[in-house]
Amino acid sequence: MGSSLFFLALFALSAVANADTSSGLTMNFYKESCPQAEDIIREQVKLLYKRHKNTAFSWIRNIFHDCAVQSCDASLLLDSTRKTLSEKETDRSFGMRNFRYLEEIKDAVERECPGVVSCADILVLSARDGIVAAGGPTIALKTGRRDGRKSRAEVVEKFLPDHNESISSVLEKFGAMGIDIAGVVALLGAHSVGRTHCVKLVHRLYPEVDPALNPDHVPHMLKKCYDPIPDPKAVQYVRNDRGTPMKLDNNYYRNILDNKGLLMVDHELAHDPRTRPYVKKMAKSQDYFFEHFARAITLLSENNPLTGENGEIRRHCNLANKNHYDE
């Protein structure tokens, strides 16, 4: 009897460890239905990274823009229709790109397992593997998401923080997803890679230079953003981190402590008394940064997913299935 109870207890512990009762997601969701899915996605991310290194930064940005807006359901990827605006076309999504390459990943998975793997999971797993490609931590993420059928463009600004919002607003919006202050500071460390378009920062340069900016950094910013009213269609930008621009690392925190942050949120992060202690810790320890970054990405990836019978598995990531049948 004692032995039976022991094994029953082990089984119960195992079930708790492998199930996520709050989100409906599990580790290795496709183990039976498409065992090669995660390997295919990982390999595609690597191949695309070799061809276009900026794809990794796109995958990282995707998880923020999709999962922060009500649900991690790949609504970000839907094209505009006659009745609805795509999230990709909102102001918050300015500068986002490489969506066509996500379709390449979807096509590769579909060739192996048609109609099985959701675009929502592909978006999340490509972000996971993009983080690794950019030099960040390996993060074990659960799967089992299903795809939404509609754009959430009308609520993007309500849920997704803007680059120049107050730090209080940023903390509140991420806090609503269960991400604590250390997690928010870590998530903004994603600004260590990629670039900031001049249209998002010229207000700090014109008509007068923001005195909070490091004067040694200003000439470079002015050289890159030479027009007070930049053409939004022109590719004018400043690299977020001149030291290691293609690497996800803790150099970002040293930069913002030195007043070299490009955006107001970067500056506030370094100087607000709620966030500054974590900025200083992450500037000193990349391990500390990666630990909190991994935890925050996990929480973000599990934000209100569609699971079970909810949603659908899209045939193409840019179009809800019902629109195929309407054609």
Side-chain angles (χ1 to χ4, degrees), residues 26 41 47 58 61 75 101 144 147 154 163 179 211 238 246 284 306 312:
T26 62
I41 294 167
L47 290 171
S58 296
R61 192 175 177 190
S75 61
Y101 296 130
D147 300 321
E154 73 280 1
H163 290 263
I179 300 172
V238 181
M246 307 299 284
K284 290 180 180 178
L306 300 177
E312 64 185 18

Side-chain angles (χ1 to χ4, degrees), residues 12-19 27 142:
L13 287 172
S14 176
V16 170
N18 288 290
M27 288 292 183
K142 294 172 181 173

Side-chain angles (χ1 to χ4, degrees), residues 137-139 141 186 289-299:
T138 299
I139 309 171
L141 297 179
F289 162 44
F290 281 176
E291 175 190 346
H292 287 278
F293 184 78
R295 185 176 302 153
I297 287 288
T298 300
L299 288 169

